[in-house]
Amino acid sequence: MDWKTFLSAAKGLFPDDLFLIDAEDCLRYGSDWTKTAGTAGLVVRPRTTDEVSEVLKLCSQMKIPVVPSGGRTGLAGGAVARGELVLSFERMNRLSEVDIHGNTVRVQAGATTQAVHEHCAPQGLMWPIDLASKGSCEIGGNLSTNAGGLRVIRYGMARKWVVGLQAVTMAGEILELNRDLEKNNTGYDLIQLLIGSEGTLAVITEATLKLTRFPNHSWVMFFPFESPRATLDFFAEARRGPFEILAFEFFSKACLDIVSARLNRQSRLGHSSPFYALMEVEFPVGREDEVDQWLGMMLENRVVSDGLLAKSESEKDQVWGLREGITESIQATAPVKKYDVSVPVRKLAAFLEEVERALKQSGLGIELYLFGHLGDGSPHLNLVKPAISTMEQFNQDCAEFEKTIFVLLKSYGGSVSAEHGVGILKKHWLTVSRSPAEMRLFRDIKRVFDPQGLLNPGKVIDL
Ligand code: MLT
Ligand code: ZN
């Protein structure tokens, strides 16, 4: 890219501090949590939507490719740059006053998820997307990847919690979509098209988020299980329990062991088990006895063999800490390849049994760490490098085993990306989950929004 020509064309049009040019300053903007190698050619840090629009106009005229960049906590490589101009939203983090009539809040794309939570909490309201990365990830990234997280079973994915969106096309046109109307049945839903498009169609600059009240009263339960099948059977029972399920997460012994070793967080169960489930439930105050009785019945009927009940905030945090520490503990221990897949919930145990069997039979040098959102049919398969394997061998083994995973997924009618998105890492496997007709429409839609192919090029689909 000829950055000198670009900068001289930009001179006088923008404040001087808009651009980061120095390679050292640009370094962290090139890659994300996948640790995929990346380089930002130049970084632009606008403060307003008008600046975003002017930058994109200039890039369009000069055919400069652009990578939109939020907190870069993505796990599919959607924000990885390969020499492009990186458009960072870190200065666009304004939060407007909470609208207590509409239960909404208008925020700029660079606001972190945690900042939004803290901003709304004094009104007794929350944006219910809860992610382990909430301190760093940004609303623009949450929406462009349609983030999921730990409470999808109760609240759904990010796309359910958006009323209005402001976005800028590659040509610099500002789209003001729906503002804050609760009802608006006027044609195609461009908001929902842009959500989850990973910055390939337009750049999200502001959003009006829908809010809800905090859960009534919640308890966290923690159970040991012999297998994913036993966990799934219990889940079916829990679906009929005297409460609303806020979260239903599972993880294997290997995950608990690595969290204990890395972060010194222990389960208070006192014995180990091949699998564990964490369930958070919500119920009205005064119904504690009913929930206690239900638990007693589960134990009596041997649906569960043991369990912990966390009622206080600190006890709940302690149990959640076991689940929330898994990703960082694995990342800090060994190279890992992550597969965020989904299958229909009822088929989850059968799918995982086949994956485990296939790995055992393959004789490949891979350790499998299983955890994820059982209640959403969305397990995270983490393939971890054993100490005795070389990096080259591990990469080869993963490439081999990845084929098995995706062939199995197809036969289960599953998806290659449940919540992390497609980015560059899942792009080549998109046809496992999408038909030729869908792929054709994807390309046609991309061409309509970005005919020159300059916006987040090479992500999600190739033209
Ligand atoms: C999670 O469920 O913890 C996140 O999706 C992150 C991950 O898969 O590692
Ligand atoms: Zn997840």
Side-chain angles (χ1 to χ4, degrees):
M1 230 69 64
D2 180 2
W3 296 118
K4 257 199 184 138
T5 314
F6 175 78
L7 285 169
S8 57
K11 207 162 176 61
L13 298 177
F14 303 101
D16 281 348
D17 70 347
L18 202 77
F19 301 102
L20 291 180
I21 305 160
D22 191 73
E24 185 97 348
D25 294 339
C26 292
L27 201 60
R28 67 194 176 93
Y29 296 87
S31 55
D32 62 8
W33 277 16
T34 60
K35 298 187 188 155
T36 311
T39 325
L42 189 100
V43 178
V44 183
R45 297 182 303 153
R47 291 184 179 84
T48 65
T49 300
D50 284 340
E51 283 178 352
V52 173
S53 162
E54 291 308 315
V55 168
L56 291 180
K57 262 183 215 161
L58 187 62
C59 290
S60 261
Q61 282 158 18
M62 301 188 70
K63 300 196 190 328
I64 305 274
V66 175
V67 174
S69 185
R72 293 178 301 281
T73 57
L75 293 168
V80 171
R82 286 156 301 184
E84 296 98 335
L85 179 147
V86 168
L87 187 59
S88 162
F89 288 90
E90 64 193 9
R91 285 163 156 180
M92 290 182 63
N93 52 12
R94 205 181 51 243
L95 306 165
S96 302
E97 204 179 316
V98 173
D99 172 353
I100 56 163
H101 292 93
N103 273 6
T104 60
V105 67
R106 181 80 169 179
V107 304
Q108 279 188 308
T112 65
T113 311
Q114 187 163 332
V116 172
H117 289 176
E118 286 167 4
H119 180 66
C120 301
Q123 301 292 347
L125 293 169
M126 63 169 187
W127 192 56
I129 307 306
D130 192 5
L131 305 155
S133 56
K134 60 185 168 232
S136 316
C137 63
E138 298 174 4
I139 296 298
N142 291 174
L143 299 185
S144 58
T145 57
N146 184 28
L150 301 169
R151 296 214 156 80
V152 172
I153 187 170
R154 170 73 171 87
Y155 297 107
M157 310 266 286
R159 66 166 75 255
K160 274 186 76 174
W161 296 93
V162 180
V163 177
L165 210 62
Q166 184 193 66
V168 184
T169 65
M170 191 62 213
E173 208 168 1
I174 300 173
L175 304 174
E176 205 45 90
L177 303 172
N178 203 47
R179 294 183 187 272
D180 45 10
L181 293 177
E182 188 68 45
K183 288 177 147 183
N184 181 4
N185 263 351
T186 48
Y188 304 127
D189 193 338
L190 295 178
I191 294 182
Q192 292 301 331
L193 181 59
L194 295 188
I195 296 176
S197 66
E198 299 184 45
T200 59
L201 301 181
V203 176
I204 294 171
T205 42
E206 282 189 22
T208 305
L209 304 176
K210 198 169 177 58
L211 307 173
T212 187
R213 286 161 71 159
F214 283 98
N216 237 316
H217 180 57
S218 84
W219 283 355
V220 172
M221 303 172 188
F222 188 59
F223 304 104
F225 287 102
E226 283 305 310
S227 62
R229 192 165 289 277
T231 321
L232 193 66
D233 289 345
F234 169 70
F235 175 64
E237 290 292 337
R239 281 274 207 207
R240 298 193 290 269
F243 41 66
E244 186 83 57
I245 300 177
L246 282 172
F248 196 105
E249 300 285 311
F250 84 109
F251 46 91
S252 64
K253 177 178 179 304
C255 294
L256 181 58
D257 290 349
I258 207 166
V259 170
S260 304
R262 275 273 153 196
L263 303 173
N264 197 21
R265 297 179 192 167
Q266 320 293 338
S267 127
R268 289 187 296 110
L269 273 175
H271 59 89
S272 74
S273 192
F275 285 91
Y276 300 91
L278 179 164
M279 176 166 79
E280 183 161 8
V281 299
E282 175 194 6
F283 51 90
V285 180
R287 296 269 184 85
E288 288 81 354
D289 286 355
E290 249 180 87
V291 180
D292 265 335
Q293 272 167 21
W294 179 86
L295 267 175
M297 205 171 73
M298 291 296 111
L299 282 161
E300 216 169 277
N301 297 344
R302 314 244 8 111
V303 186
V304 290
S305 59
D306 197 358
L308 285 175
L309 184 56
K311 297 182 179 179
S312 71
E313 291 310 310
S314 71
E315 286 169 339
K316 288 194 259 184
D317 287 350
Q318 199 267 337
V319 181
W320 267 115
L322 304 176
R323 166 63 180 88
E324 291 189 317
I326 297 173
T327 302
E328 61 170 295
S329 301
I330 296 177
Q331 300 266 24
T333 304
V336 54
K337 296 221 188 293
K338 302 173 80 69
Y339 298 86
D340 148 50
V341 300
S342 70
V343 294
V345 185
R346 66 182 185 286
K347 297 184 182 172
L348 186 78
F351 171 72
L352 293 178
E353 282 161 10
E354 287 209 50
V355 169
E356 287 190 303
R357 201 177 313 126
L359 183 59
K360 209 177 258 171
Q361 282 168 2
S362 73
L364 295 169
I366 296 171
E367 285 167 10
L368 176 63
Y369 284 63
L370 276 178
F371 69 96
H373 320 288
L374 184 135
D376 312 323
S378 145
H380 295 310
L381 317 181
N382 284 248
L383 307 186
V384 175
K385 184 178 116 28
I388 50 159
S389 234
T390 60
M391 203 53 216
E392 197 189 346
Q393 186 62 50
F394 175 63
N395 284 336
Q396 257 177 39
D397 288 353
C398 287
E400 181 69 36
F401 194 61
E402 167 171 297
K403 286 185 215 144
T404 310
I405 295 177
F406 290 139
V407 168
L408 264 177
L409 255 188
K410 190 152 184 121
S411 72
Y412 275 79
S415 170
V416 297
S417 178
E419 58 172 3
H420 294 171
V422 177
I424 38 177
L425 299 185
K426 299 291 153 359
K427 184 173 72 171
H428 302 295
W429 293 102
L430 199 49
T431 51
V432 171
S433 317
R434 296 296 193 174
S435 68
E438 286 175 298
M439 293 297 292
R440 203 179 52 244
L441 283 168
F442 279 10
R443 289 196 184 92
D444 288 349
I445 291 168
K446 169 75 176 167
R447 282 190 201 101
V448 168
F449 275 87
D450 177 24
Q452 301 193 90
L454 294 173
L455 198 49
N456 219 3
K459 311 292 168 49
V460 187
I461 47 161
D462 285 321
L463 281 181

